[in-house]
Amino acid sequence: MKIFGHPWVESECFYPLSSIDDIKQTPANSILFLTPLPSSLELAHYCQQNHIGYALEVHSIEEAVFANLMQCQYVITDKMLAKELMPIAQNYLFDTQVLAQIENDNEIETMAKVGVDGVIFPNAFSIPILQSV
């Protein structure tokens, strides 16, 4: 199980972005964080075409299936959807890993018991990139 944003373990940081220019401003080897499809479709295609690792917020099984097809590294969702997604991801051998958003340490065990690939705390997200005026 992967754990992002917990103070006990060092982990990668997720960088929220909203444009291709934002991608160019993120540190090398960072994980880009995109908002749900279809609003981030252009950015997801750009990441896929340029072999850039990215995570995508998803709100449905359908979005998760498309994220996997677009070579998304991680889908990030709420705990309930993460539980629903895991059997589907395992059945279809997703390369994309499912991360459940959590707030407390005691939620780690619950997510581990249902086989979720990982969890993500709010601390895993960097400060959003400021747009230059």
Side-chain angles (χ1 to χ4, degrees):
M1 172 181 249
K2 293 187 175 188
I3 299 175
F4 296 95
H6 192 279
W8 290 2
V9 291
E10 193 173 318
S11 64
E12 297 154 299
C13 198
F14 291 74
Y15 291 84
L17 52 92
S18 59
S19 72
I20 291 173
D21 287 336
D22 289 347
I23 293 172
K24 296 172 186 173
Q25 296 177 22
T26 57
N29 299 322
S30 57
I31 300 173
L32 308 179
F33 176 63
L34 310 181
T35 56
L37 296 172
S39 62
S40 61
L41 187 59
E42 179 185 356
L43 293 172
H45 283 294
Y46 180 87
C47 290
Q48 180 184 12
Q49 292 165 357
N50 291 283
H51 308 287
I52 299 170
Y54 72 100
L56 185 64
E57 179 183 347
V58 298
H59 297 288
S60 70
I61 292 169
E62 179 184 16
E63 287 178 0
V65 169
F66 281 113
N68 181 60
L69 293 171
M70 291 186 286
Q71 300 168 341
C72 178
Q73 189 173 358
Y74 301 106
V75 291
I76 299 174
T77 191
D78 63 65
K79 296 174 289 202
M80 294 303 296
L81 184 55
K83 290 178 188 180
E84 282 185 72
L85 276 174
M86 281 316 302
I88 295 165
Q90 290 168 342
N91 184 60
Y92 291 107
L93 304 173
F94 275 22
D95 291 322
T96 301
Q97 294 187 332
V98 177
L99 302 180
Q101 293 177 316
I102 63 170
E103 300 281 333
N104 303 305
D105 288 6
N106 62 354
E107 296 172 295
I108 294 171
E109 182 177 342
T110 304
M111 294 294 99
K113 285 181 178 178
V114 296
V116 173
D117 294 317
V119 294
I120 186 164
F121 287 87
N123 292 345
F125 297 95
S126 76
I127 297 170
I129 297 168
L130 300 175
Q131 299 292 326
S132 45
V133 179

